[in-house]
Structures are given as structure tokens and as C-alpha cells.
């Protein structure tokens, strides 16, 4: 039973909320970024084109969104907040063989 609990704890840890915030680009960073970019995301980001759960602390809503590459930056397709939390979908359970 201890092994199952440990595996379960590891699985839960993989699906924790990740905090993302934005910050304005500093003057000395502007040469590295395209002139159209005014801010960057701070924190762990989803994979490009990954659909994830998003929690908006302002509205306290949970919904789905997709992390996309706009060509001149990256971000969520439908979320326009300075601070959000996101989580990958858990993997579906494996079918267990009946004994």
C-alpha cells in the first residue's frame, strides 16, 4: 500500500497549479525582444498548443485555454490577465486487466 500511496503522491505533484505572472520588459532587454513585445511571462509555461486548465484569481473561475505562439510572442489564446494559474490535464487511467 505504501508504494501505491507514493505513486499517487507523485502523480498529484505533477498536476499542481503553476503560477504565471507578467512583467514589463526592462530597457536593457529590449534589444533581445521584438519591438512589439512589451511584457514577458514569468513562471513555468505550458507547451505550445497545449490545452490546459486555467484559474483566474480575479474572477475565481476555472476554464480551458490553449497556450499558443502568436509569432511575435506567446500566451493564452483567450486569457488576458496579468496573473493566472494553469494545470495540465491529467492522463487518463490505464485499463486494468481483470483477474
Amino acid at each position: 500500500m505504501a508504494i501505491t500511496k507514493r505513486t499517487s503522491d507523485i502523480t498529484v505533484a505533477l498536476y499542481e497549479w503553476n503560477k504565471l505572472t507578467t512583467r514589463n520588459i526592462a530597457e536593457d532587454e529590449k534589444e533581445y525582444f521584438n519591438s512589439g513585445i512589451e511584457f514577458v511571462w514569468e513562471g513555468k509555461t505550458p507547451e505550445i498548443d497545449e490545452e490546459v486548465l486555467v484559474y483566474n484569481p480575479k474572477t475565481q473561475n476555472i476554464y480551458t485555454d490553449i497556450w499558443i505562439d502568436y509569432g511575435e510572442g506567446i500566451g493564452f489564446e483567450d486569457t488576458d490577465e496579468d496573473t493566472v494559474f494553469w494545470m495540465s490535464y491529467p492522463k487518463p487511467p490505464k485499463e486494468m486487466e481483470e483477474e
Side-chain angles (χ1 to χ4, degrees):
M1 188 68 160
I3 292 173
T4 303
K5 184 171 181 1
R6 287 183 186 158
T7 302
S8 176
D9 291 344
I10 291 168
T11 302
V12 169
L14 291 173
Y15 297 106
E16 291 182 353
W17 291 103
N18 299 283
K19 184 176 183 178
L20 271 178
T21 58
T22 60
R23 73 167 172 80
N24 291 332
I25 294 175
E27 282 297 319
D28 62 337
E29 294 177 310
K30 288 187 177 182
E31 66 185 72
Y32 298 107
F33 293 100
N34 198 341
S35 60
I37 296 176
E38 298 175 7
F39 68 89
V40 293
W41 289 99
E42 295 268 305
K44 180 181 174 188
T45 61
E47 298 293 324
I48 298 295
D49 297 327
E50 181 181 4
E51 184 174 8
V52 297
L53 294 173
V54 176
Y55 172 72
N56 182 332
K58 281 187 180 177
T59 63
Q60 297 184 344
N61 288 329
I62 296 174
Y63 51 92
T64 63
D65 205 343
I66 300 172
W67 186 256
I68 61 173
D69 183 346
Y70 289 100
E72 294 197 14
I74 55 174
F76 287 110
E77 187 172 49
D78 296 317
T79 300
D80 190 26
E81 295 291 335
D82 293 335
T83 301
V84 295
F85 295 82
W86 69 273
M87 177 189 306
S88 294
Y89 283 107
K91 293 184 178 168
K94 294 181 181 177
E95 294 290 326
M96 300 192 68
E97 294 180 23
E98 293 184 30
E99 293 180 26

